[in-house]
Amino acid sequence: MASPPVSVGRPATIHDIAALCGVAPSTVSRALSTPDRVNVRTRERIQAAAVELNYTPNSQAKALSSGRTAAVGVLVPDITNPFYFDLIRGTQLQLKAAGYTQLLVDTEESDEVEASTLEQLRKSSDGVIVAASRLNDESLAAAAARMPMVTVNRDVDGVPAVIIDTPSAMTQALDHLISLGHISVAYIAGPVVSQSSARRWAALTQVAEDRGVQVRNLGPFAPKKQSGAAAADAAVHSGVTACIVFNDLIAIGMLQRLRERGIRVPEDMSIVGCDDIFGADFCNPPLTTLSSPIEQAGRVAVSMLLAQLNPLGGGGVRSRSVMPTHLTVRGSTTSAPGN
Amino acid sequence: MASPPVSVGRPATIHDIAALCGVAPSTVSRALSTPDRVNVRTRERIQAAAVELNYTPNSQAKALSSGRTAAVGVLVPDITNPFYFDLIRGTQLQLKAAGYTQLLVDTEESDEVEASTLEQLRKSSDGVIVAASRLNDESLAAAAARMPMVTVNRDVDGVPAVIIDTPSAMTQALDHLISLGHISVAYIAGPVVSQSSARRWAALTQVAEDRGVQVRNLGPFAPKKQSGAAAADAAVHSGVTACIVFNDLIAIGMLQRLRERGIRVPEDMSIVGCDDIFGADFCNPPLTTLSSPIEQAGRVAVSMLLAQLNPLGGGGVRSRSVMPTHLTVRGSTTSAPGN
DNA sequence: AACTCGCTGACAACCGGTTGCCATTCGATG
DNA sequence: CATCGAATGGCAACCGGTTGTCAGCGAGTT
């Protein structure tokens, strides 16, 4: 088996190919990017030479001259939050399949980092996917007006979005708790700038009113495992028998804290998380949580963005996509004490 | 508070600045990148104009003309493996601090994807950090000869490397088990192409011989949680009372499987993991594991790479860096049955 | 045979910067 | 006052592609 020619020295350019074939560089360019524009014989000669020289186009140059970078920025607030792992993998796979490069940036939960990153990405990418933006509505809408964008878990007018959300699932979660006899429930809130958290709280109050149970709002808490300690303490102090928690990270932190304090989960306190992240199935006890197809959300976000970039398809661009979620009952919920 | 000028329409270029200031574009370029080369008055005029026009350089153009992309590729075999989260965060933070962009690629545990990614990155980045390469030694060395590279957890002659390794820690792990009375121990091996796994096994056999205990090699297993089931079954079947596991992912999978099979950890079987990933502290039981400063490893890898890129500093480039690791004892290890 | 038209390839401008080289200016020095 | 060199700014080539335009050529039409 003949190994492919190993490129040695400087990578080949279209000029090298042109020289080798005795044609102009522009002909080489056309032979490779718009083959119909070139005679079959010439084209084949050029393609053979390209293979022989192990030619691969210089993406910088391509970007500069064509204006398209074949790169897409993906912004997440915290790269170490397992929630984003699956999202990132989803975007990565889908982008790669479409021939795009993923530029992953951790915005460190900061709106300023997010804004400056967006500004920079405006020139170095064809579009961006922004997960859980910490920007305010105006800034986000303004940014979206200047470059193709799809948000994840953030709904702003005029900006295409993938919502992995749980208003409907919140009903399932609360009904699950109610069916177990809980009548005093706390919502452990996420960051104030998180629209997901606000949306979940809104859904929850709505359902609670319908069902005639009490739900109180505790927090806000940072979406980190460490925050679970304060959240657990607040929950215990509030006297509720069950918590619905903004995300699994905090929920897992609560589990640990409650164990330290000798409060049994689920016997003394039931916990429902959100997202079903890595770890939710093997923590102790395994977490009852609202599962969402996160990786799929990443894929959908990419599809929506690519549809914006290449509006060839007939139909208009889908501007909002809601991912279905469902309750996964594990070991962190049971009957209310005394039931 | 005056908001910064919002860039509207096409982003400003040095030509716009040049026109505004009545100078040549080259002067603008110098004023911004080699300020000493330009008269103070002119420079300040240009800088003011740059701010006013909200100028940010086009990185593509910069890359094309200067040959440096200010981007660094980071290759990991599996982006959803929590081990890499911290590594990625480490590289991301350090790269951003140095003004570089991180190009993250998931090579899907495939040597082919890895090779083609490296070839592509050769032109679109200034250097690469390759974690847990699945490439053979020759290919890796060849790739490293063609572009600046630092490997993580992979030691190949002539390629600068950060080794988060555990030969010394393996001693601690085995001695820990021996002190608990275990005399029959299994090593649950990772992928055959993983040098880390081979290195750990080598260290283990060495120590085992010194101490006069039996250690057997089981596997190989894919570095995924699901592999834990097979690994657990193999361990049980082999009759050992303790396992040292290639990584925490497999170890956690084993925990789940053993629980399903009614085998108690640690009473019936002790488990020691490697890496202390997210989840190792809250699984059930919490995992005794070899902890490593993974995020720091990422930072060090970046530092070593940047030292290669800008060899200004006096001293030679450090070509190998070993991160210290230590045993973290949690709940998955205890005395051997019958002791 | 003259004319038109499509196919094909070359030329050159351009994307937005960087950089080598040269001309001018100016102050300092002999 | 002539000379020299440093400081400064401009010109133009270049990085590696893309793309608009045009000329040459051959085939088809009348």
Side-chain angles (χ1 to χ4, degrees):
Chain A
M1 160 183 140
S3 64
V6 172
S7 61
V8 52
R10 183 180 45 77
T13 72
I14 55 169
H15 295 86
D16 299 329
I17 299 178
L20 186 60
C21 296
V23 299
S26 54
T27 303
V28 177
S29 172
R30 290 202 167 89
L32 299 174
S33 51
T34 43
D36 290 346
R37 184 66 177 65
V38 168
N39 184 285
V40 191
R41 295 179 50 76
T42 320
R43 184 204 313 163
E44 285 175 351
R45 224 163 17 114
I46 291 176
Q47 287 170 340
V51 170
E52 186 186 350
L53 294 179
N54 194 20
Y55 168 78
T56 49
N58 179 314
S59 53
Q60 323 286 340
K62 214 161 188 161
L64 186 55
S65 57
S66 68
R68 305 186 317 108
T69 62
V72 165
V74 175
L75 277 62
V76 300
D78 175 14
I79 209 172
T80 62
N81 179 337
F83 173 79
Y84 298 108
F85 299 164
D86 290 315
L87 187 73
I88 293 168
R89 154 154 285 200
T91 54
Q92 150 102 23
L93 289 176
Q94 196 78 351
L95 283 171
K96 189 193 289 188
Y100 281 78
T101 299
Q102 165 167 295
L103 304 175
L104 178 68
V105 182
D106 181 338
T107 57
E108 301 165 30
E109 304 269 2
S110 149
D111 56 344
E112 289 172 26
V113 173
E114 190 175 332
S116 71
T117 301
L118 280 175
E119 183 58 29
Q120 193 200 320
L121 246 26
R122 187 180 165 202
K123 284 193 297 294
S124 54
S125 74
D126 293 346
V128 291
I129 291 172
V130 185
S133 176
R134 302 315 194 205
L135 249 35
N136 61 44
D137 286 9
E138 298 77 46
S139 306
L140 198 55
R146 292 208 301 268
M147 65 193 303
M149 176 186 291
V150 172
T151 59
V152 175
N153 264 354
R154 175 60 180 269
D155 197 12
V156 172
D157 232 36
V159 185
V162 177
I163 308 291
I164 312 177
D165 218 340
T166 40
S168 86
M170 278 289 160
T171 309
Q172 298 175 48
L174 191 52
D175 281 343
H176 169 62
L177 291 175
I178 289 173
S179 71
L180 291 171
H182 296 275
I183 53 175
S184 176
V185 175
Y187 174 67
I188 306 295
V192 281
V193 289
S194 164
Q195 205 189 39
S196 304
S197 187
R199 220 166 26 230
R200 285 170 193 176
W201 171 241
L204 216 43
T205 49
Q206 179 64 53
V207 181
E209 191 172 332
D210 286 0
R211 305 292 193 267
V213 300
Q214 262 226 328
V215 178
R216 47 195 311 174
N217 192 322
L218 300 179
F221 297 98
K224 307 202 174 281
K225 189 150 66 80
Q226 305 93 280
S227 309
D233 292 348
V236 171
H237 180 255
S238 73
V240 300
T241 60
C243 296
I244 296 177
V245 187
F246 168 63
N247 75 10
D248 286 351
L249 225 40
I250 302 176
I252 289 171
M254 291 178 69
L255 255 31
Q256 288 189 289
R257 176 64 166 195
L258 292 170
R259 169 177 303 271
E260 283 170 24
R261 292 191 49 180
I263 294 160
R264 295 168 305 163
V265 176
E267 293 80 2
D268 301 332
M269 174 84 79
S270 286
I271 303 280
V272 179
C274 272
D275 300 338
D276 199 7
I277 62 169
F278 174 87
D281 59 335
F282 64 76
C283 54
N284 183 14
L287 196 61
T288 294
T289 189
L290 294 166
S291 303
S292 9
I294 310 176
E295 180 174 328
Q296 193 191 336
R299 308 178 102 99
V300 171
V302 170
S303 302
M304 287 171 63
L305 186 63
L306 296 186
Q308 254 184 86
L309 298 183
N310 319 325
L312 43 98
V317 173
R318 203 173 21 153
S319 72
R320 195 155 183 285
S321 176
V322 178
M323 309 303 294
T325 65
H326 66 272
L327 184 69
T328 298
V329 177
R330 297 203 183 91
S332 65
T333 47
T334 194
S335 317
N339 276 46
Chain B
M1 157 184 145
S3 63
V6 172
S7 62
V8 51
R10 183 180 44 76
T13 72
I14 56 169
H15 296 87
D16 300 329
I17 300 178
L20 186 61
C21 295
V23 298
S26 55
T27 304
V28 177
S29 173
R30 291 198 171 90
L32 298 174
S33 51
T34 44
D36 290 346
R37 186 66 177 64
V38 168
N39 185 287
V40 191
R41 296 178 47 77
T42 320
R43 183 203 314 164
E44 285 174 352
R45 220 162 22 111
I46 290 175
Q47 288 170 340
V51 171
E52 186 187 349
L53 294 180
N54 194 22
Y55 169 79
T56 49
N58 180 314
S59 53
Q60 324 285 342
K62 215 162 188 161
L64 187 55
S65 57
S66 68
R68 304 185 317 108
T69 62
V72 166
V74 175
L75 277 61
V76 301
D78 174 14
I79 209 172
T80 60
N81 179 336
F83 174 80
Y84 299 108
F85 298 164
D86 291 314
L87 187 73
I88 293 168
R89 156 154 282 200
T91 55
Q92 150 102 24
L93 290 176
Q94 196 78 351
L95 282 171
K96 189 193 289 187
Y100 282 78
T101 299
Q102 164 167 295
L103 304 176
L104 178 68
V105 181
D106 181 339
T107 56
E108 301 165 30
E109 304 270 3
S110 148
D111 56 346
E112 289 172 27
V113 173
E114 190 176 331
S116 71
T117 302
L118 280 175
E119 183 58 27
Q120 193 199 322
L121 247 25
R122 187 180 165 201
K123 285 193 297 294
S124 55
S125 75
D126 293 347
V128 292
I129 291 171
V130 184
S133 175
R134 302 313 193 205
L135 248 35
N136 61 45
D137 285 10
E138 297 77 49
S139 305
L140 197 57
R146 290 209 301 268
M147 65 193 304
M149 176 187 291
V150 172
T151 59
V152 175
N153 264 355
R154 176 61 179 269
D155 197 13
V156 173
D157 233 36
V159 184
V162 177
I163 308 291
I164 313 178
D165 218 340
T166 40
S168 86
M170 277 290 159
T171 309
Q172 298 176 47
L174 191 51
D175 280 344
H176 168 62
L177 291 175
I178 291 173
S179 72
L180 291 171
H182 295 273
I183 53 173
S184 176
V185 175
Y187 173 67
I188 305 295
V192 280
V193 289
S194 164
Q195 205 189 38
S196 304
S197 186
R199 221 165 27 230
R200 285 170 192 174
W201 170 241
L204 216 43
T205 49
Q206 179 64 52
V207 180
E209 190 172 335
D210 286 0
R211 305 292 193 271
V213 301
Q214 262 229 326
V215 178
R216 47 195 312 173
N217 194 320
L218 301 179
F221 297 98
K224 310 206 173 276
K225 189 150 66 76
Q226 305 92 280
S227 308
D233 292 347
V236 170
H237 179 254
S238 75
V240 299
T241 60
C243 296
I244 296 178
V245 187
F246 168 63
N247 75 11
D248 286 352
L249 226 39
I250 301 177
I252 289 172
M254 292 177 69
L255 254 32
Q256 288 189 288
R257 175 65 167 192
L258 292 171
R259 168 176 304 271
E260 283 169 24
R261 292 192 47 181
I263 295 160
R264 294 168 305 162
V265 175
E267 293 80 1
D268 301 332
M269 174 84 81
S270 285
I271 303 279
V272 179
C274 272
D275 301 337
D276 199 7
I277 63 169
F278 174 87
D281 58 335
F282 64 74
C283 55
N284 184 16
L287 197 60
T288 295
T289 189
L290 293 166
S291 304
S292 10
I294 309 175
E295 179 173 330
Q296 195 190 335
R299 307 178 103 100
V300 171
V302 170
S303 302
M304 286 170 63
L305 186 64
L306 296 185
Q308 254 184 86
L309 298 182
N310 319 324
L312 43 97
V317 173
R318 203 171 22 151
S319 72
R320 196 155 184 284
S321 176
V322 178
M323 310 303 293
T325 65
H326 67 272
L327 184 69
T328 299
V329 177
R330 297 204 182 93
S332 66
T333 47
T334 193
S335 316
N339 275 45

